[in-house]
C-alpha cells in the first residue's frame, strides 16, 4: 500500500461544467490511503482505489494532461468525480470502478500480462 499525493491537480480544478467541487470532500480525500493505482498502457488515464479514514473504500478516475506531464503532481485531474462514493469493501469499490471506467478491465489485463498478479492485488 502507498499513500499517494500525486493527484494534487484535484485542488486546482473546478468540478464538471457548471458544478462546484465539494471542498470538504476534496480536502478529506487528501487523507485517503491509496491501495491501488491502475493506469492505461499509454498513461493517459488512471483509477485510484483507496481506503478512507473511516474504514470504507472508494475510487476516483483521473486523466493526465500531456502539457503537464513534466510535473507529476500537477498532471492528474479527476474526470469521474467518484471520490465521494463509499463502499463497504475494496472489492465493492473495484466493481463500481469497473462500471464507471470501462477501460479499467483492459488496463488490468495488460498489467496481468506484462507484470503478473502481484501488481494488481
Amino acid at each position: 500500500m502507498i499513500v499517494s499525493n500525486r493527484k494534487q491537480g484535484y485542488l486546482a480544478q473546478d468540478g464538471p461544467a457548471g458544478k462546484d467541487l465539494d471542498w470538504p470532500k476534496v480536502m478529506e480525500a487528501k487523507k485517503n490511503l491509496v491501495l491501488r493505482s491502475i493506469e492505461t498502457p499509454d498513461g493517459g488515464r488512471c483509477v485510484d482505489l483507496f481506503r478512507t479514514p473511516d474504514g470504507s473504500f472508494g475510487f476516483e478516475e483521473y486523466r493526465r494532461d500531456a502539457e503537464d506531464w513534466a510535473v507529476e503532481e500537477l498532471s492528474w485531474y479527476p474526470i469521474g468525480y467518484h471520490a465521494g462514493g463509499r463502499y463497504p469493501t475494496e472489492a465493492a469499490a473495484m466493481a463500481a470502478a469497473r462500471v464507471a471506467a470501462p477501460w479499467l478491465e483492459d488496463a488490468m489485463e495488460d498489467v496481468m500480462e506484462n507484470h503478473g498478479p502481484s501488481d494488481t492485488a
Side-chain angles (χ1 to χ4, degrees), residues 2-15:
I2 59 168
V3 176
S4 174
N5 64 356
R6 68 185 182 140
K7 299 189 176 68
Q8 296 293 324
Y10 196 105
L11 296 176
Q13 296 301 300
D14 293 327

Side-chain angles (χ1 to χ4, degrees), residues 2 4 12 24 26 49 54 70 77 87 90 103 105 109 115 118:
I2 59 168
S4 174
V26 170
L49 257 57
D54 70 8
Y77 301 93
Y87 303 90
E90 182 180 352
W103 59 263
E105 200 66 40
E109 286 177 15
H115 303 287
S118 64

Side-chain angles (χ1 to χ4, degrees), residues 32-101:
N32 295 333
L33 177 68
V34 174
L35 304 172
R36 256 191 257 197
S37 188
I38 304 162
E39 289 185 24
T40 56
D42 68 1
R45 291 188 181 231
C46 173
V47 165
D48 280 358
L49 257 57
F50 55 83
R51 186 175 58 227
T52 67
D54 70 8
S56 64
F57 297 85
F59 72 95
E60 184 57 88
E61 181 181 10
Y62 298 89
R63 71 174 166 79
R64 184 182 246 180
D65 278 347
E67 64 271 11
D68 293 334
W69 282 29
V71 183
E72 175 73 15
E73 65 271 7
L74 299 179
S75 64
W76 292 101
Y77 301 93
I79 58 173
Y81 299 93
H82 304 290
R86 295 294 175 262
Y87 303 90
T89 65
E90 182 180 352
M94 177 57 90
R98 286 179 167 149
V99 170

Side-chain angles (χ1 to χ4, degrees), residues 98-114:
R98 286 179 167 149
V99 170
W103 59 263
L104 187 57
E105 200 66 40
D106 288 338
M108 291 180 67
E109 286 177 15
D110 183 65
V111 168
M112 292 293 287
E113 288 174 12
N114 294 311

